[in-house]
Amino acid sequence: MSAPIAFLITYGNGHAVVQGGEDVLEQTGFSVSHGSATRRDLDAGAFELTSTEDGRTRRHEPVTTEPPEALRFRELVSDDGLTWQDTGIVPFSYAGRLCARNVNRGLGRVCYLASGAMVVIDTVLRRQTLRYEPVEA
């Protein structure tokens, strides 16, 4: 299995960055093998990396180039990238329009995650502001 093209990394303070997949896996392997971090695997290839020095945790979610296949999403909104408000279930067309509107207005960039989620990252604040999690039909 090849490495994901990139990972969305969310830090404990809410900052979010996208970093190349092979680089992330190499750095993670080095940190874990040298005892400076522990790794906890999550669903859909995501994992958490916790520093053994200060206890800080980073969440790593694999990014894909493929748009989600779900027809409905749970819409989550955040000001700080940490605390999320569930605003309900929306159709794919609505979620796609809102993501595109944010990009077209220069308010952020969209990432498709291997879990089937779509996220908007505010490029100035470097935080996730909008997240669409797939909902089973």
Side-chain angles (χ1 to χ4, degrees), residues 75 94-110 119-123 129-132:
E75 182 180 58
Y94 176 85
R97 272 196 316 274
L98 223 55
C99 287
R101 183 179 300 151
N102 277 279
V103 171
N104 292 338
R105 291 182 178 171
L107 301 175
R109 68 182 276 197
V110 175
V119 298
V120 174
I121 301 171
D122 183 307
T123 51
T129 56
L130 196 54
R131 188 174 180 104
Y132 291 100

Side-chain angles (χ1 to χ4, degrees), residues 12 32 53 57 82 90 94 101 105 111 114 137:
V32 170
E53 297 170 6
T57 300
L82 297 172
V90 299
Y94 176 85
R101 183 179 300 151
R105 291 182 178 171
C111 286

Side-chain angles (χ1 to χ4, degrees), residues 1-29:
M1 185 172 121
S2 63
I5 59 165
F7 282 92
L8 171 63
I9 303 171
T10 305
Y11 293 86
N13 63 2
H15 279 201
V17 298
V18 176
Q19 187 176 347
E22 289 183 13
D23 291 340
V24 167
L25 293 176
E26 184 178 316
Q27 292 169 4
T28 299

